[in-house]
């Protein structure tokens, strides 16, 4: 890749309940791959990915934190000096949406005031094309996600690490909001 552009490093942290697909979103973005039965992340994993957005070259430094409660107290260590955060829930799991709102509150209280936050309703492939109804798999509506994002000033996407739906788009949208290096 051409390196004529200055490279802007962006520390990005993933937050969300266990098994919503945080590691899978990173795997899709970094390797364009998906694993049906992923081993859970213990503690935190670190990966980087470069991408070019217009005149900017961004190097995402991605911290994927474990969703298990016993690691929750470590999260501040990861988001404290992060420029961006992906807060992930599973569109089929209402409890994961409640948890996402908790993380958003915590970021607003404790992370950098200008942190760029993207809210991701993941596992979109499970509900794609289904008709609304009592036994529908979708348990969090697009409107609920959009409403929280609007109120809290977040980017919002429904994503699928499995199909790849909107995965690059999330990172590109974050990249767009990163100020150009001078
Ligand atoms: P994490 O604990 O939040 O990092 O979640 P993982 O990435 O480990 O994913 C948990 C489980 O959900 C794994 O079995 C994944 O294969 C599955 N999974 C992750 N993303 C998706 C998705 O977009 N769609 C579907 N159907 N399954 C997914």
């Amino acid at each position: 890749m051409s390196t004529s552009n200055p490279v802007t490093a962006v520390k990005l942290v993933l937050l969300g309940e266990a098994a919503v697909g945080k590691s899978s979103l990173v795997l899709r973005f970094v390797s364009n791959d998906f694993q049906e039965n992923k081993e859970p992340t213990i503690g935190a994993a670190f990966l980087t990915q470069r991408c070019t957005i217009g005149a900017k070259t961004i190097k995402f430094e991605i911290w994927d934190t474990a969703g298990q409660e016993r690691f929750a107290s470590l999260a501040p260590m990861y988001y404290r000096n992060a420029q961006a955060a992906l807060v992930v829930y599973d569109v089929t799991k209402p409890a994961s949406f409640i948890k996402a709102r908790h993380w958003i509150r915590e970021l607003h209280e404790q992370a950098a005031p200008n942190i760029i936050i993207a809210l991701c309703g993941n596992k979109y492939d499970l509900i794609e094309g289904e008709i609304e109804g009592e036994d529908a798999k979708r348990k969090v509506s697009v409107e609920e996600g959009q409403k929280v994002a609007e109120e809290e000033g977040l980017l919002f996407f429904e994503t699928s690490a499995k199909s790849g739906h909107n995965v690059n788009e999330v990172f590109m949208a974050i990249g767009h909001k990163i100020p150009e290096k001078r």
Side-chain angles (χ1 to χ4, degrees):
M1 184 189 281
S2 156
T3 50
S4 53
N5 294 335
V7 178
T8 308
V10 175
K11 184 181 166 189
L12 180 147
V13 63
L14 277 99
L15 297 165
E17 196 173 73
V20 293
K22 297 181 295 299
S23 304
S24 299
L25 286 167
V26 176
L27 185 66
R28 173 61 73 191
F29 177 58
V30 171
S31 306
N32 196 21
D33 192 12
F34 178 75
Q35 290 169 9
E36 204 63 58
N37 294 300
K38 264 200 94 306
E39 293 287 319
T41 305
I42 308 292
F46 177 71
L47 281 158
T48 66
Q49 175 71 10
R50 269 177 195 237
C51 51
T52 306
I53 301 165
K56 285 182 282 194
T57 300
I58 288 184
K59 181 184 169 208
F60 284 106
E61 300 173 346
I62 304 169
W63 289 92
D64 174 17
T65 65
Q68 292 93 332
E69 280 307 319
R70 66 201 164 104
F71 294 112
S73 61
L74 296 179
M77 212 164 74
Y78 297 100
Y79 64 63
R80 208 158 275 150
N81 58 351
Q83 287 109 304
L86 238 70
V87 177
V88 186
Y89 64 94
D90 173 343
V91 290
T92 71
K93 298 259 157 50
S96 73
F97 187 58
I98 293 169
K99 189 75 197 179
R101 300 178 71 164
H102 155 86
W103 283 119
I104 294 161
R105 269 198 307 278
E106 190 163 321
L107 286 171
H108 279 150
E109 282 166 16
Q110 303 203 40
N114 59 349
I115 190 168
I116 299 159
I117 307 172
L119 178 64
C120 296
N122 192 42
K123 306 202 184 181
Y124 176 77
D125 59 285
L126 295 176
I127 53 105
E128 192 173 9
E130 83 172 355
I131 295 158
E132 273 181 54
E134 284 239 329
D135 45 337
K137 283 200 200 127
R138 183 196 274 277
K139 296 289 186 280
V140 184
S141 69
V142 190
E143 291 77 15
E144 284 173 278
Q146 275 167 344
K147 184 165 179 277
V148 168
E150 261 166 45
E151 286 170 359
E152 306 284 347
L154 321 175
L155 295 163
F156 173 67
F157 290 89
E158 287 193 332
T159 57
S160 168
K162 186 168 181 174
S163 73
H165 178 72
N166 271 343
V167 178
N168 277 324
E169 284 77 355
V170 176
F171 287 89
M172 292 303 123
I174 290 170
H176 271 293
K177 296 194 82 172
I178 298 288
E180 230 162 290
K181 204 171 184 172
R182 285 169 196 281

